Amino acid sequence: MSNVHLIDHPLVQHKLTLMRRKDASTNTFRRLLNELSSLMAYEVTRDMAMQEIEIETPLETMRSKVIDGKKLVFVSILRAGNGILEGMLNIVPGARVGHVGLYRDPKTLVAVEYYFKMPQDMHERDIVVVDPMLATGNSASAAVERLKELNPKSIKFVCLLTCPEGIATMQKEHPDVPIYTAAIDRQLNDHGYILPGLGDAGDRIFGTK
């Protein structure tokens, strides 16, 4: 699993543990997700593009590096991906944002697209796809397949949790896409939920059932 990056920083693991607790309120869950996403963004953006600009310090003029944020696109898989999106944008506010709407057919567990909106000039951009859970991998794979049609410079996938089944799907369908995650859990249950997991991330973020 050379393209799977486990982000095991103590702060990431601590906040993830608090999020897993079933008695965590919607407000607490959402706040922790925002904080954890910002921490994960540090690792995910380690190799992002830079540019040099001229600035004036209190003493003299110099050239120094800044993030080329306009070349980066965060793509949220709706709706739960929006929970990670905010934390990522806290770190890279200049990034553009795209959205992919997918729902999982409850009988087949196959991803069905209902929305797709991206910035212009995607062929010039690096994409970071965000979704809290990489479970069966069907939604993630479908989103990446759709994004590859736009010929971006690169694609990464970021999630809080995944499992062997989700990783296997992504590595089979998109072995070129690195996965960044805070945990690799044991397995899926019969309904396609990660065990031990943290429940339905979307419902916990937005307080729905």
Side-chain angles (χ1 to χ4, degrees), residues 77-101:
I77 298 181
L78 298 174
R79 65 184 167 145
N82 284 353
I84 293 182
L85 184 62
E86 183 178 353
M88 294 280 179
L89 287 172
N90 286 340
I91 302 301
V92 195
R96 303 297 174 89
V97 176
H99 293 91
V100 180

Side-chain angles (χ1 to χ4, degrees), residues 52-100:
E52 278 197 357
I53 62 171
E54 188 171 285
I55 64 169
E56 289 188 14
T57 77
L59 299 176
E60 64 182 58
T61 300
M62 68 171 291
R63 294 190 65 79
S64 191
K65 294 180 179 180
V66 294
I67 293 170
D68 191 5
K70 292 183 179 180
K71 298 297 185 184
L72 181 66
V73 178
F74 291 122
V75 175
S76 170
I77 298 181
L78 298 174
R79 65 184 167 145
N82 284 353
I84 293 182
L85 184 62
E86 183 178 353
M88 294 280 179
L89 287 172
N90 286 340
I91 302 301
V92 195
R96 303 297 174 89
V97 176
H99 293 91
V100 180

Side-chain angles (χ1 to χ4, degrees), residues 6 16 19-21 29 80 84 104 109 131-140 157-170 179-202 204:
L6 180 62
L16 178 58
M19 290 177 66
R20 287 183 188 267
R21 295 175 59 174
F29 189 92
I84 293 182
R104 188 171 60 177
L109 302 185
D131 195 5
M133 316 295 277
L134 177 59
T136 64
N138 292 334
S139 294
F157 185 85
V158 180
C159 59
L160 295 184
L161 297 180
T162 187
C163 59
E165 295 92 332
I167 291 172
T169 297
M170 284 294 286
I179 299 167
Y180 292 79
T181 186
I184 302 173
D185 280 10
R186 187 177 71 249
Q187 68 185 78
L188 294 179
N189 66 12
D190 293 339
H191 299 287
Y193 284 94
I194 296 174
L195 299 175
L198 49 69
D200 187 297
R204 298 196 69 185

Side-chain angles (χ1 to χ4, degrees), residues 5-187:
H5 304 270
L6 180 62
I7 302 175
D8 58 357
H9 189 284
L11 285 173
V12 170
Q13 296 302 313
H14 173 79
K15 292 177 187 298
L16 178 58
T17 296
L18 297 179
M19 290 177 66
R20 287 183 188 267
R21 295 175 59 174
K22 67 178 183 179
D23 58 350
S25 68
T26 297
N27 180 54
T28 297
F29 189 92
R30 190 183 297 142
R31 174 179 55 80
L32 288 167
L33 177 57
N34 183 284
E35 295 170 356
L36 195 156
S37 301
S38 294
L39 292 169
M40 293 182 71
Y42 178 83
E43 286 296 327
V44 175
T45 59
R46 182 178 292 275
D47 60 351
M48 71 184 299
M50 305 283 291
Q51 62 176 317
E52 278 197 357
I53 62 171
E54 188 171 285
I55 64 169
E56 289 188 14
T57 77
L59 299 176
E60 64 182 58
T61 300
M62 68 171 291
R63 294 190 65 79
S64 191
K65 294 180 179 180
V66 294
I67 293 170
D68 191 5
K70 292 183 179 180
K71 298 297 185 184
L72 181 66
V73 178
F74 291 122
V75 175
S76 170
I77 298 181
L78 298 174
R79 65 184 167 145
N82 284 353
I84 293 182
L85 184 62
E86 183 178 353
M88 294 280 179
L89 287 172
N90 286 340
I91 302 301
V92 195
R96 303 297 174 89
V97 176
H99 293 91
V100 180
L102 298 166
Y103 70 88
R104 188 171 60 177
D105 186 292
K107 294 182 179 179
T108 65
L109 302 185
V110 173
V112 180
E113 180 184 310
Y114 65 88
Y115 187 79
F116 190 84
K117 185 75 171 181
M118 295 295 142
Q120 294 181 336
D121 303 320
M122 289 293 282
H123 63 283
E124 299 179 357
R125 304 184 185 279
D126 297 303
I127 295 175
V128 176
V129 183
V130 297
D131 195 5
M133 316 295 277
L134 177 59
T136 64
N138 292 334
S139 294
S141 179
V144 169
E145 186 68 33
R146 188 79 162 82
L147 290 166
K148 282 184 173 180
E149 296 175 5
L150 305 179
N151 297 312
K153 291 173 63 178
S154 69
I155 301 177
K156 296 177 181 178
F157 185 85
V158 180
C159 59
L160 295 184
L161 297 180
T162 187
C163 59
E165 295 92 332
I167 291 172
T169 297
M170 284 294 286
Q171 291 190 324
K172 177 183 177 183
E173 302 295 333
H174 304 288
D176 56 321
V177 175
I179 299 167
Y180 292 79
T181 186
I184 302 173
D185 280 10
R186 187 177 71 249
Q187 68 185 78

